[in-house]
Amino acid sequence: MAKLIRCKACGYVTKEGKIKDICPACGVPATMFEPYTDPVSEKRRIILGLHIHPIMVHFPQAFAITLFLLTVLSYFAPGAIKEALFNSIQVISFLLPYFVVLSLLTGLFDGKIRFRKVTTPFLKKKIIIGLLFLIISIALAFVAFSGQFPASPIREYFTLLTIIAVACGAGLGLLGGHLMEAKFPG
């Protein structure tokens, strides 16, 4: 295993000999680096380094925001554009539940690798919000394909669901941000 060093100023960790005069992350002099021993095993570090879950969660978050924006645009768009927006909304609504499920599964895997269990307080909150996100995403798909979607008040109901979906994605992102660097040693 390569010798590691850590920046005392910002916490950036890299292999010894990889930096020159300054920390590439924060710009302080190289003299601010100290030897560092990674508390996580190399095998776990490799798995965590793939960032499977953090990458996967961006899809449902982006889809939820896109659905909200397309729905809002549909109120102002002319006929032909409005029809294209509704088609796009249907496609994204169809895909969203699948990506939420993938995010939940990769989150459970990530939690197991990081903390060796998925019953920590933050992970329990993430699971609950993730399940709510899944329910909302399924509801969005049903509403989008109900055959009555473009009509009022169905579109308003859909818009409200997209706002809740965006809030779920934001809540999951905030909780996940707190956990990015947390992990059990070993």
Side-chain angles (χ1 to χ4, degrees):
M1 186 176 203
K3 288 185 177 184
L4 300 174
I5 53 175
R6 183 177 70 91
C7 177
K8 291 187 254 183
C10 72
Y12 176 74
V13 175
T14 189
K15 293 178 184 174
E16 190 173 50
K18 282 277 205 170
I19 61 160
K20 298 195 184 208
D21 299 331
I22 62 171
C23 174
C26 71
V28 300
T31 57
M32 290 293 289
F33 276 81
E34 64 186 358
Y36 176 76
T37 303
D38 194 349
V40 177
S41 72
E42 192 170 354
K43 180 180 175 185
R44 284 180 59 224
R45 175 65 58 200
I46 290 169
I47 294 170
L48 291 171
L50 295 173
H51 300 291
I52 296 167
H53 178 64
I55 291 168
M56 188 55 63
V57 298
H58 287 89
F59 287 100
Q61 289 171 338
F63 283 5
I65 292 168
T66 302
L67 283 174
F68 172 72
L69 294 174
L70 292 178
T71 305
V72 169
L73 285 173
S74 74
Y75 285 98
F76 308 105
I81 300 294
K82 189 178 284 195
E83 186 64 34
L85 289 172
F86 291 143
N87 290 334
S88 298
I89 287 168
Q90 284 185 317
V91 170
I92 295 169
S93 296
F94 174 77
L95 294 173
L96 180 59
Y98 295 103
F99 281 98
V100 173
V101 167
L102 284 172
S103 292
L104 281 166
L105 292 174
T106 59
L108 292 171
F109 176 73
D110 189 80
K112 190 78 170 154
I113 294 294
R114 280 181 195 278
F115 307 111
R116 298 193 181 118
K117 59 183 177 179
V118 293
T119 56
T120 68
F122 271 174
L123 293 182
K124 285 180 183 178
K125 286 179 187 176
K126 284 190 73 168
I127 290 168
I128 291 167
I129 296 170
L131 290 173
L132 175 62
F133 196 2
L134 178 59
I135 292 165
I136 297 298
S137 69
I138 291 169
L140 283 165
F142 276 113
V143 172
F145 286 95
S146 69
Q148 302 171 357
F149 168 66
S152 195
I154 300 298
R155 190 168 18 161
E156 287 77 15
Y157 174 65
F158 188 88
T159 305
L160 178 63
L161 287 174
T162 63
I163 291 169
I164 296 169
V166 169
C168 287
L172 288 167
L174 288 172
L175 283 170
H178 292 298
L179 296 173
M180 277 302 292
E181 294 305 317
K183 58 197 82 57
F184 257 15

